[in-house]
Amino acid sequence: MSWIEWYNSLAKPTWTPAPATISLIWMILYPVIVVSFGFVFVQAYRRKVPTKVALPFAVNLVANLLFMPIFAGLRSVPLAAVDIVIVWATLVWCMVAVWPVYKWVAAAQMPYFVWVSVATVLQLSITAMNWGRA
């Protein structure tokens, strides 16, 4: 079965956005993420900010990029729940770490933070609703 058939077979909350809506949200967020994260990485490379400021951005990026391979590739709902919590927590860490040096970068993460907060609650709900499913 394709991953979308598998996804459609999962129990989900009634408020779950359609896959097309989820894709659209990410298409809007990824350019902001690329610019703001890229800026932090360049500043860290130029030694204008300490590595400890860039570290949460790197961890967040890796966790974010791993979500779909875990969820749709491995079809591991519980592991995807762990991953999205890591994405959420490291995003908070990003905003706290960068605030003293580049407030605009922290502020630029707000739409990402709102969406990841919704996505985290959604993923935790899907995990709970499908717990023990083969």
Side-chain angles (χ1 to χ4, degrees):
M1 127 178 15
S2 72
W3 89 266
I4 196 68
E5 291 171 325
W6 170 79
Y7 175 77
N8 288 335
S9 76
L10 294 173
K12 293 178 280 308
T14 57
W15 54 270
T16 301
T21 302
I22 294 170
S23 294
L24 176 62
I25 291 168
W26 282 114
M27 286 174 38
I28 294 166
L29 290 176
Y30 274 134
V32 175
I33 293 167
V34 166
V35 169
S36 59
F37 280 43
F39 177 81
V40 171
F41 294 144
V42 167
Q43 297 312 310
Y45 176 77
R46 291 179 176 171
R47 302 198 191 288
K48 294 191 179 207
V49 296
T51 305
K52 70 180 181 181
V53 172
L55 178 62
F57 287 86
V59 175
N60 181 274
L61 185 60
V62 170
N64 183 322
L65 294 174
L66 285 175
F67 181 82
M68 281 307 288
I70 291 168
F71 185 72
L74 296 176
R75 298 182 185 182
S76 177
V77 176
L79 189 55
V82 171
D83 182 77
I84 197 73
V85 168
I86 292 168
V87 172
W88 186 89
T90 57
L91 183 53
V92 172
W93 183 19
C94 289
M95 293 165 62
V96 169
V98 79
W99 180 261
V101 286
Y102 297 111
K103 289 177 180 34
W104 74 267
V105 173
Q109 303 318 305
M110 285 310 297
Y112 181 28
F113 176 75
V114 169
W115 172 244
V116 170
S117 297
V118 170
T120 300
V121 172
L122 177 60
Q123 183 60 43
L124 293 174
S125 299
I126 291 171
T127 301
M129 294 173 79
N130 292 279
W131 195 258
R133 181 178 165 178

PDB file of all heavy atoms in Angstrom, residues 3-38:
ATOM      1  N   TRP A   3       2.126   5.130   0.773  1.00  0.00           N
ATOM      2  CA  TRP A   3       2.160   5.802   2.075  1.00  0.00           C
ATOM      3  C   TRP A   3       0.894   6.619   2.290  1.00  0.00           C
ATOM      4  O   TRP A   3       0.403   6.713   3.408  1.00  0.00           O
ATOM      5  CB  TRP A   3       3.432   6.636   2.255  1.00  0.00           C
ATOM      6  CG  TRP A   3       3.337   8.039   1.763  1.00  0.00           C
ATOM      7  CD1 TRP A   3       3.702   8.509   0.549  1.00  0.00           C
ATOM      8  CD2 TRP A   3       2.830   9.164   2.488  1.00  0.00           C
ATOM      9  NE1 TRP A   3       3.446   9.853   0.467  1.00  0.00           N
ATOM     10  CE2 TRP A   3       2.908  10.284   1.649  1.00  0.00           C
ATOM     11  CE3 TRP A   3       2.304   9.333   3.759  1.00  0.00           C
ATOM     12  CZ2 TRP A   3       2.489  11.548   2.034  1.00  0.00           C
ATOM     13  CZ3 TRP A   3       1.883  10.604   4.146  1.00  0.00           C
ATOM     14  CH2 TRP A   3       1.976  11.696   3.289  1.00  0.00           C
ATOM     15  N   ILE A   4       0.333   7.227   1.229  1.00  0.00           N
ATOM     16  CA  ILE A   4      -0.878   8.043   1.407  1.00  0.00           C
ATOM     17  C   ILE A   4      -2.079   7.156   1.745  1.00  0.00           C
ATOM     18  O   ILE A   4      -2.941   7.544   2.535  1.00  0.00           O
ATOM     19  CB  ILE A   4      -1.137   8.983   0.203  1.00  0.00           C
ATOM     20  CG1 ILE A   4      -2.142  10.081   0.570  1.00  0.00           C
ATOM     21  CG2 ILE A   4      -1.598   8.223  -1.014  1.00  0.00           C
ATOM     22  CD1 ILE A   4      -1.659  11.081   1.567  1.00  0.00           C
ATOM     23  N   GLU A   5      -2.118   5.958   1.178  1.00  0.00           N
ATOM     24  CA  GLU A   5      -3.186   5.006   1.554  1.00  0.00           C
ATOM     25  C   GLU A   5      -3.021   4.609   3.021  1.00  0.00           C
ATOM     26  O   GLU A   5      -4.005   4.518   3.763  1.00  0.00           O
ATOM     27  CB  GLU A   5      -3.146   3.766   0.654  1.00  0.00           C
ATOM     28  CG  GLU A   5      -3.555   4.036  -0.775  1.00  0.00           C
ATOM     29  CD  GLU A   5      -3.290   2.852  -1.699  1.00  0.00           C
ATOM     30  OE1 GLU A   5      -2.277   2.142  -1.495  1.00  0.00           O
ATOM     31  OE2 GLU A   5      -4.094   2.649  -2.622  1.00  0.00           O
ATOM     32  N   TRP A   6      -1.778   4.368   3.409  1.00  0.00           N
ATOM     33  CA  TRP A   6      -1.496   4.037   4.804  1.00  0.00           C
ATOM     34  C   TRP A   6      -1.915   5.193   5.705  1.00  0.00           C
ATOM     35  O   TRP A   6      -2.587   4.997   6.718  1.00  0.00           O
ATOM     36  CB  TRP A   6      -0.011   3.718   4.975  1.00  0.00           C
ATOM     37  CG  TRP A   6       0.414   3.602   6.407  1.00  0.00           C
ATOM     38  CD1 TRP A   6       0.227   2.530   7.228  1.00  0.00           C
ATOM     39  CD2 TRP A   6       1.066   4.611   7.180  1.00  0.00           C
ATOM     40  NE1 TRP A   6       0.741   2.812   8.489  1.00  0.00           N
ATOM     41  CE2 TRP A   6       1.263   4.074   8.467  1.00  0.00           C
ATOM     42  CE3 TRP A   6       1.525   5.897   6.907  1.00  0.00           C
ATOM     43  CZ2 TRP A   6       1.877   4.790   9.487  1.00  0.00           C
ATOM     44  CZ3 TRP A   6       2.138   6.604   7.917  1.00  0.00           C
ATOM     45  CH2 TRP A   6       2.316   6.062   9.184  1.00  0.00           C
ATOM     46  N   TYR A   7      -1.523   6.422   5.325  1.00  0.00           N
ATOM     47  CA  TYR A   7      -1.867   7.609   6.113  1.00  0.00           C
ATOM     48  C   TYR A   7      -3.386   7.752   6.228  1.00  0.00           C
ATOM     49  O   TYR A   7      -3.904   8.005   7.308  1.00  0.00           O
ATOM     50  CB  TYR A   7      -1.256   8.870   5.487  1.00  0.00           C
ATOM     51  CG  TYR A   7      -1.669  10.146   6.173  1.00  0.00           C
ATOM     52  CD1 TYR A   7      -1.107  10.520   7.385  1.00  0.00           C
ATOM     53  CD2 TYR A   7      -2.646  10.977   5.615  1.00  0.00           C
ATOM     54  CE1 TYR A   7      -1.490  11.682   8.027  1.00  0.00           C
ATOM     55  CE2 TYR A   7      -3.039  12.141   6.258  1.00  0.00           C
ATOM     56  CZ  TYR A   7      -2.459  12.489   7.458  1.00  0.00           C
ATOM     57  OH  TYR A   7      -2.846  13.636   8.100  1.00  0.00           O
ATOM     58  N   ASN A   8      -4.082   7.598   5.110  1.00  0.00           N
ATOM     59  CA  ASN A   8      -5.542   7.720   5.122  1.00  0.00           C
ATOM     60  C   ASN A   8      -6.210   6.651   5.985  1.00  0.00           C
ATOM     61  O   ASN A   8      -7.312   6.858   6.475  1.00  0.00           O
ATOM     62  CB  ASN A   8      -6.097   7.694   3.701  1.00  0.00           C
ATOM     63  CG  ASN A   8      -5.786   8.971   2.948  1.00  0.00           C
ATOM     64  OD1 ASN A   8      -5.574  10.027   3.539  1.00  0.00           O
ATOM     65  ND2 ASN A   8      -5.734   8.883   1.631  1.00  0.00           N
ATOM     66  N   SER A   9      -5.530   5.517   6.167  1.00  0.00           N
ATOM     67  CA  SER A   9      -6.106   4.441   6.988  1.00  0.00           C
ATOM     68  C   SER A   9      -5.941   4.682   8.491  1.00  0.00           C
ATOM     69  O   SER A   9      -6.585   4.007   9.294  1.00  0.00           O
ATOM     70  CB  SER A   9      -5.474   3.092   6.612  1.00  0.00           C
ATOM     71  OG  SER A   9      -4.169   2.978   7.154  1.00  0.00           O
ATOM     72  N   LEU A  10      -5.095   5.627   8.865  1.00  0.00           N
ATOM     73  CA  LEU A  10      -4.879   5.919  10.285  1.00  0.00           C
ATOM     74  C   LEU A  10      -6.090   6.644  10.876  1.00  0.00           C
ATOM     75  O   LEU A  10      -6.735   7.451  10.198  1.00  0.00           O
ATOM     76  CB  LEU A  10      -3.644   6.799  10.477  1.00  0.00           C
ATOM     77  CG  LEU A  10      -2.287   6.205  10.116  1.00  0.00           C
ATOM     78  CD1 LEU A  10      -1.206   7.277  10.202  1.00  0.00           C
ATOM     79  CD2 LEU A  10      -1.954   5.020  11.011  1.00  0.00           C
ATOM     80  N   ALA A  11      -6.353   6.377  12.142  1.00  0.00           N
ATOM     81  CA  ALA A  11      -7.346   7.164  12.871  1.00  0.00           C
ATOM     82  C   ALA A  11      -6.731   8.528  13.145  1.00  0.00           C
ATOM     83  O   ALA A  11      -5.567   8.622  13.564  1.00  0.00           O
ATOM     84  CB  ALA A  11      -7.714   6.466  14.175  1.00  0.00           C
ATOM     85  N   LYS A  12      -7.500   9.585  12.864  1.00  0.00           N
ATOM     86  CA  LYS A  12      -7.004  10.949  13.038  1.00  0.00           C
ATOM     87  C   LYS A  12      -8.092  11.815  13.657  1.00  0.00           C
ATOM     88  O   LYS A  12      -9.276  11.544  13.477  1.00  0.00           O
ATOM     89  CB  LYS A  12      -6.577  11.533  11.684  1.00  0.00           C
ATOM     90  CG  LYS A  12      -5.376  10.856  11.069  1.00  0.00           C
ATOM     91  CD  LYS A  12      -5.020  11.445   9.717  1.00  0.00           C
ATOM     92  CE  LYS A  12      -5.848  10.981   8.567  1.00  0.00           C
ATOM     93  NZ  LYS A  12      -6.007   9.561   8.337  1.00  0.00           N
ATOM     94  N   PRO A  13      -7.701  12.875  14.365  1.00  0.00           N
ATOM     95  CA  PRO A  13      -8.711  13.793  14.920  1.00  0.00           C
ATOM     96  C   PRO A  13      -9.519  14.438  13.783  1.00  0.00           C
ATOM     97  O   PRO A  13      -9.017  14.585  12.659  1.00  0.00           O
ATOM     98  CB  PRO A  13      -7.892  14.857  15.649  1.00  0.00           C
ATOM     99  CG  PRO A  13      -6.510  14.331  15.759  1.00  0.00           C
ATOM    100  CD  PRO A  13      -6.341  13.286  14.707  1.00  0.00           C
ATOM    101  N   THR A  14     -10.727  14.846  14.090  1.00  0.00           N
ATOM    102  CA  THR A  14     -11.592  15.459  13.072  1.00  0.00           C
ATOM    103  C   THR A  14     -11.013  16.764  12.529  1.00  0.00           C
ATOM    104  O   THR A  14     -11.329  17.160  11.410  1.00  0.00           O
ATOM    105  CB  THR A  14     -12.995  15.743  13.649  1.00  0.00           C
ATOM    106  OG1 THR A  14     -12.863  16.572  14.807  1.00  0.00           O
ATOM    107  CG2 THR A  14     -13.707  14.451  14.027  1.00  0.00           C
ATOM    108  N   TRP A  15     -10.168  17.416  13.293  1.00  0.00           N
ATOM    109  CA  TRP A  15      -9.601  18.702  12.881  1.00  0.00           C
ATOM    110  C   TRP A  15      -8.309  18.562  12.067  1.00  0.00           C
ATOM    111  O   TRP A  15      -7.653  19.559  11.758  1.00  0.00           O
ATOM    112  CB  TRP A  15      -9.372  19.597  14.098  1.00  0.00           C
ATOM    113  CG  TRP A  15      -8.556  18.962  15.185  1.00  0.00           C
ATOM    114  CD1 TRP A  15      -9.025  18.223  16.232  1.00  0.00           C
ATOM    115  CD2 TRP A  15      -7.130  18.976  15.318  1.00  0.00           C
ATOM    116  NE1 TRP A  15      -7.980  17.789  17.013  1.00  0.00           N
ATOM    117  CE2 TRP A  15      -6.799  18.240  16.471  1.00  0.00           C
ATOM    118  CE3 TRP A  15      -6.099  19.549  14.570  1.00  0.00           C
ATOM    119  CZ2 TRP A  15      -5.495  18.061  16.899  1.00  0.00           C
ATOM    120  CZ3 TRP A  15      -4.796  19.374  14.998  1.00  0.00           C
ATOM    121  CH2 TRP A  15      -4.495  18.635  16.145  1.00  0.00           C
ATOM    122  N   THR A  16      -7.959  17.338  11.672  1.00  0.00           N
ATOM    123  CA  THR A  16      -6.731  17.100  10.903  1.00  0.00           C
ATOM    124  C   THR A  16      -6.804  17.820   9.558  1.00  0.00           C
ATOM    125  O   THR A  16      -7.750  17.618   8.797  1.00  0.00           O
ATOM    126  CB  THR A  16      -6.537  15.588  10.660  1.00  0.00           C
ATOM    127  OG1 THR A  16      -6.476  14.927  11.919  1.00  0.00           O
ATOM    128  CG2 THR A  16      -5.267  15.318   9.864  1.00  0.00           C
ATOM    129  N   PRO A  17      -5.816  18.663   9.258  1.00  0.00           N
ATOM    130  CA  PRO A  17      -5.816  19.319   7.945  1.00  0.00           C
ATOM    131  C   PRO A  17      -5.620  18.292   6.828  1.00  0.00           C
ATOM    132  O   PRO A  17      -4.995  17.249   7.029  1.00  0.00           O
ATOM    133  CB  PRO A  17      -4.606  20.272   8.008  1.00  0.00           C
ATOM    134  CG  PRO A  17      -4.237  20.365   9.455  1.00  0.00           C
ATOM    135  CD  PRO A  17      -4.701  19.095  10.098  1.00  0.00           C
ATOM    136  N   ALA A  18      -6.122  18.630   5.659  1.00  0.00           N
ATOM    137  CA  ALA A  18      -5.928  17.776   4.486  1.00  0.00           C
ATOM    138  C   ALA A  18      -4.440  17.751   4.137  1.00  0.00           C
ATOM    139  O   ALA A  18      -3.719  18.741   4.378  1.00  0.00           O
ATOM    140  CB  ALA A  18      -6.731  18.317   3.311  1.00  0.00           C
ATOM    141  N   PRO A  19      -3.947  16.644   3.555  1.00  0.00           N
ATOM    142  CA  PRO A  19      -2.536  16.591   3.154  1.00  0.00           C
ATOM    143  C   PRO A  19      -2.115  17.769   2.271  1.00  0.00           C
ATOM    144  O   PRO A  19      -1.015  18.283   2.422  1.00  0.00           O
ATOM    145  CB  PRO A  19      -2.428  15.256   2.425  1.00  0.00           C
ATOM    146  CG  PRO A  19      -3.474  14.397   3.059  1.00  0.00           C
ATOM    147  CD  PRO A  19      -4.618  15.351   3.342  1.00  0.00           C
ATOM    148  N   ALA A  20      -3.003  18.222   1.388  1.00  0.00           N
ATOM    149  CA  ALA A  20      -2.668  19.363   0.524  1.00  0.00           C
ATOM    150  C   ALA A  20      -2.458  20.634   1.343  1.00  0.00           C
ATOM    151  O   ALA A  20      -1.584  21.450   1.034  1.00  0.00           O
ATOM    152  CB  ALA A  20      -3.757  19.574  -0.523  1.00  0.00           C
ATOM    153  N   THR A  21      -3.241  20.800   2.400  1.00  0.00           N
ATOM    154  CA  THR A  21      -3.088  21.968   3.272  1.00  0.00           C
ATOM    155  C   THR A  21      -1.767  21.902   4.026  1.00  0.00           C
ATOM    156  O   THR A  21      -1.057  22.913   4.140  1.00  0.00           O
ATOM    157  CB  THR A  21      -4.273  22.053   4.262  1.00  0.00           C
ATOM    158  OG1 THR A  21      -5.486  22.117   3.517  1.00  0.00           O
ATOM    159  CG2 THR A  21      -4.149  23.261   5.178  1.00  0.00           C
ATOM    160  N   ILE A  22      -1.448  20.719   4.516  1.00  0.00           N
ATOM    161  CA  ILE A  22      -0.173  20.535   5.224  1.00  0.00           C
ATOM    162  C   ILE A  22       0.990  20.852   4.289  1.00  0.00           C
ATOM    163  O   ILE A  22       1.923  21.569   4.665  1.00  0.00           O
ATOM    164  CB  ILE A  22      -0.076  19.106   5.798  1.00  0.00           C
ATOM    165  CG1 ILE A  22      -1.136  18.910   6.894  1.00  0.00           C
ATOM    166  CG2 ILE A  22       1.335  18.834   6.343  1.00  0.00           C
ATOM    167  CD1 ILE A  22      -1.308  17.475   7.365  1.00  0.00           C
ATOM    168  N   SER A  23       0.911  20.375   3.053  1.00  0.00           N
ATOM    169  CA  SER A  23       1.969  20.654   2.061  1.00  0.00           C
ATOM    170  C   SER A  23       2.089  22.148   1.787  1.00  0.00           C
ATOM    171  O   SER A  23       3.198  22.680   1.701  1.00  0.00           O
ATOM    172  CB  SER A  23       1.682  19.916   0.757  1.00  0.00           C
ATOM    173  OG  SER A  23       1.757  18.535   0.954  1.00  0.00           O
ATOM    174  N   LEU A  24       0.963  22.828   1.648  1.00  0.00           N
ATOM    175  CA  LEU A  24       0.972  24.270   1.392  1.00  0.00           C
ATOM    176  C   LEU A  24       1.623  25.033   2.547  1.00  0.00           C
ATOM    177  O   LEU A  24       2.427  25.944   2.326  1.00  0.00           O
ATOM    178  CB  LEU A  24      -0.457  24.783   1.161  1.00  0.00           C
ATOM    179  CG  LEU A  24      -0.594  26.292   0.970  1.00  0.00           C
ATOM    180  CD1 LEU A  24       0.168  26.750  -0.274  1.00  0.00           C
ATOM    181  CD2 LEU A  24      -2.056  26.682   0.893  1.00  0.00           C
ATOM    182  N   ILE A  25       1.282  24.647   3.765  1.00  0.00           N
ATOM    183  CA  ILE A  25       1.879  25.310   4.933  1.00  0.00           C
ATOM    184  C   ILE A  25       3.401  25.161   4.905  1.00  0.00           C
ATOM    185  O   ILE A  25       4.130  26.137   5.111  1.00  0.00           O
ATOM    186  CB  ILE A  25       1.274  24.749   6.243  1.00  0.00           C
ATOM    187  CG1 ILE A  25      -0.184  25.196   6.364  1.00  0.00           C
ATOM    188  CG2 ILE A  25       2.097  25.192   7.461  1.00  0.00           C
ATOM    189  CD1 ILE A  25      -0.978  24.483   7.439  1.00  0.00           C
ATOM    190  N   TRP A  26       3.898  23.947   4.622  1.00  0.00           N
ATOM    191  CA  TRP A  26       5.341  23.744   4.564  1.00  0.00           C
ATOM    192  C   TRP A  26       5.967  24.518   3.407  1.00  0.00           C
ATOM    193  O   TRP A  26       7.087  25.029   3.531  1.00  0.00           O
ATOM    194  CB  TRP A  26       5.693  22.259   4.496  1.00  0.00           C
ATOM    195  CG  TRP A  26       5.581  21.619   5.836  1.00  0.00           C
ATOM    196  CD1 TRP A  26       4.693  20.665   6.228  1.00  0.00           C
ATOM    197  CD2 TRP A  26       6.384  21.904   6.996  1.00  0.00           C
ATOM    198  NE1 TRP A  26       4.891  20.348   7.558  1.00  0.00           N
ATOM    199  CE2 TRP A  26       5.916  21.087   8.047  1.00  0.00           C
ATOM    200  CE3 TRP A  26       7.446  22.774   7.246  1.00  0.00           C
ATOM    201  CZ2 TRP A  26       6.485  21.109   9.316  1.00  0.00           C
ATOM    202  CZ3 TRP A  26       8.001  22.792   8.511  1.00  0.00           C
ATOM    203  CH2 TRP A  26       7.524  21.971   9.518  1.00  0.00           C
ATOM    204  N   MET A  27       5.257  24.632   2.288  1.00  0.00           N
ATOM    205  CA  MET A  27       5.799  25.394   1.152  1.00  0.00           C
ATOM    206  C   MET A  27       5.962  26.867   1.508  1.00  0.00           C
ATOM    207  O   MET A  27       6.853  27.542   0.998  1.00  0.00           O
ATOM    208  CB  MET A  27       4.891  25.242  -0.077  1.00  0.00           C
ATOM    209  CG  MET A  27       5.024  23.890  -0.727  1.00  0.00           C
ATOM    210  SD  MET A  27       3.853  23.567  -2.085  1.00  0.00           S
ATOM    211  CE  MET A  27       3.735  25.102  -2.931  1.00  0.00           C
ATOM    212  N   ILE A  28       5.124  27.367   2.376  1.00  0.00           N
ATOM    213  CA  ILE A  28       5.238  28.752   2.852  1.00  0.00           C
ATOM    214  C   ILE A  28       6.347  28.879   3.895  1.00  0.00           C
ATOM    215  O   ILE A  28       7.121  29.830   3.880  1.00  0.00           O
ATOM    216  CB  ILE A  28       3.887  29.243   3.418  1.00  0.00           C
ATOM    217  CG1 ILE A  28       2.846  29.330   2.290  1.00  0.00           C
ATOM    218  CG2 ILE A  28       4.042  30.569   4.156  1.00  0.00           C
ATOM    219  CD1 ILE A  28       1.412  29.470   2.768  1.00  0.00           C
ATOM    220  N   LEU A  29       6.432  27.899   4.792  1.00  0.00           N
ATOM    221  CA  LEU A  29       7.407  27.977   5.885  1.00  0.00           C
ATOM    222  C   LEU A  29       8.847  27.713   5.455  1.00  0.00           C
ATOM    223  O   LEU A  29       9.767  28.345   5.990  1.00  0.00           O
ATOM    224  CB  LEU A  29       7.027  27.001   7.005  1.00  0.00           C
ATOM    225  CG  LEU A  29       5.787  27.345   7.807  1.00  0.00           C
ATOM    226  CD1 LEU A  29       5.474  26.237   8.801  1.00  0.00           C
ATOM    227  CD2 LEU A  29       5.953  28.681   8.516  1.00  0.00           C
ATOM    228  N   TYR A  30       9.054  26.786   4.526  1.00  0.00           N
ATOM    229  CA  TYR A  30      10.435  26.413   4.192  1.00  0.00           C
ATOM    230  C   TYR A  30      11.289  27.577   3.694  1.00  0.00           C
ATOM    231  O   TYR A  30      12.452  27.677   4.087  1.00  0.00           O
ATOM    232  CB  TYR A  30      10.481  25.226   3.226  1.00  0.00           C
ATOM    233  CG  TYR A  30      10.434  23.892   3.945  1.00  0.00           C
ATOM    234  CD1 TYR A  30       9.595  22.880   3.524  1.00  0.00           C
ATOM    235  CD2 TYR A  30      11.225  23.643   5.069  1.00  0.00           C
ATOM    236  CE1 TYR A  30       9.542  21.659   4.187  1.00  0.00           C
ATOM    237  CE2 TYR A  30      11.182  22.436   5.741  1.00  0.00           C
ATOM    238  CZ  TYR A  30      10.346  21.444   5.288  1.00  0.00           C
ATOM    239  OH  TYR A  30      10.303  20.248   5.956  1.00  0.00           O
ATOM    240  N   PRO A  31      10.788  28.503   2.871  1.00  0.00           N
ATOM    241  CA  PRO A  31      11.649  29.642   2.510  1.00  0.00           C
ATOM    242  C   PRO A  31      12.087  30.481   3.710  1.00  0.00           C
ATOM    243  O   PRO A  31      13.234  30.928   3.783  1.00  0.00           O
ATOM    244  CB  PRO A  31      10.778  30.460   1.551  1.00  0.00           C
ATOM    245  CG  PRO A  31       9.833  29.461   0.972  1.00  0.00           C
ATOM    246  CD  PRO A  31       9.548  28.486   2.096  1.00  0.00           C
ATOM    247  N   VAL A  32      11.186  30.677   4.671  1.00  0.00           N
ATOM    248  CA  VAL A  32      11.540  31.427   5.886  1.00  0.00           C
ATOM    249  C   VAL A  32      12.601  30.669   6.672  1.00  0.00           C
ATOM    250  O   VAL A  32      13.572  31.259   7.167  1.00  0.00           O
ATOM    251  CB  VAL A  32      10.284  31.682   6.759  1.00  0.00           C
ATOM    252  CG1 VAL A  32      10.661  32.345   8.078  1.00  0.00           C
ATOM    253  CG2 VAL A  32       9.271  32.512   5.999  1.00  0.00           C
ATOM    254  N   ILE A  33      12.426  29.351   6.764  1.00  0.00           N
ATOM    255  CA  ILE A  33      13.394  28.515   7.474  1.00  0.00           C
ATOM    256  C   ILE A  33      14.752  28.577   6.778  1.00  0.00           C
ATOM    257  O   ILE A  33      15.785  28.755   7.430  1.00  0.00           O
ATOM    258  CB  ILE A  33      12.881  27.064   7.581  1.00  0.00           C
ATOM    259  CG1 ILE A  33      11.646  27.012   8.496  1.00  0.00           C
ATOM    260  CG2 ILE A  33      13.978  26.130   8.084  1.00  0.00           C
ATOM    261  CD1 ILE A  33      10.882  25.700   8.430  1.00  0.00           C
ATOM    262  N   VAL A  34      14.758  28.447   5.458  1.00  0.00           N
ATOM    263  CA  VAL A  34      16.023  28.468   4.705  1.00  0.00           C
ATOM    264  C   VAL A  34      16.763  29.790   4.921  1.00  0.00           C
ATOM    265  O   VAL A  34      17.960  29.798   5.210  1.00  0.00           O
ATOM    266  CB  VAL A  34      15.775  28.212   3.200  1.00  0.00           C
ATOM    267  CG1 VAL A  34      16.997  28.560   2.364  1.00  0.00           C
ATOM    268  CG2 VAL A  34      15.358  26.766   2.964  1.00  0.00           C
ATOM    269  N   VAL A  35      16.054  30.904   4.806  1.00  0.00           N
ATOM    270  CA  VAL A  35      16.704  32.212   4.953  1.00  0.00           C
ATOM    271  C   VAL A  35      17.193  32.434   6.385  1.00  0.00           C
ATOM    272  O   VAL A  35      18.358  32.794   6.604  1.00  0.00           O
ATOM    273  CB  VAL A  35      15.743  33.348   4.522  1.00  0.00           C
ATOM    274  CG1 VAL A  35      16.298  34.714   4.919  1.00  0.00           C
ATOM    275  CG2 VAL A  35      15.482  33.287   3.024  1.00  0.00           C
ATOM    276  N   SER A  36      16.328  32.201   7.360  1.00  0.00           N
ATOM    277  CA  SER A  36      16.719  32.501   8.740  1.00  0.00           C
ATOM    278  C   SER A  36      17.756  31.506   9.278  1.00  0.00           C
ATOM    279  O   SER A  36      18.731  31.907   9.909  1.00  0.00           O
ATOM    280  CB  SER A  36      15.492  32.548   9.655  1.00  0.00           C
ATOM    281  OG  SER A  36      14.789  31.328   9.645  1.00  0.00           O
ATOM    282  N   PHE A  37      17.561  30.214   9.009  1.00  0.00           N
ATOM    283  CA  PHE A  37      18.552  29.231   9.452  1.00  0.00           C
ATOM    284  C   PHE A  37      19.871  29.447   8.704  1.00  0.00           C
ATOM    285  O   PHE A  37      20.945  29.389   9.295  1.00  0.00           O
ATOM    286  CB  PHE A  37      18.054  27.808   9.205  1.00  0.00           C
ATOM    287  CG  PHE A  37      17.093  27.276  10.230  1.00  0.00           C
ATOM    288  CD1 PHE A  37      16.060  28.051  10.747  1.00  0.00           C
ATOM    289  CD2 PHE A  37      17.193  25.972  10.658  1.00  0.00           C
ATOM    290  CE1 PHE A  37      15.164  27.544  11.678  1.00  0.00           C
ATOM    291  CE2 PHE A  37      16.312  25.447  11.589  1.00  0.00           C
ATOM    292  CZ  PHE A  37      15.300  26.238  12.098  1.00  0.00           C
ATOM    293  N   GLY A  38      19.775  29.696   7.400  1.00  0.00           N
ATOM    294  CA  GLY A  38      20.982  29.940   6.606  1.00  0.00           C
ATOM    295  C   GLY A  38      21.756  31.133   7.137  1.00  0.00           C
ATOM    296  O   GLY A  38      22.991  31.096   7.230  1.00  0.00           O
TER     297      GLY A  38
END
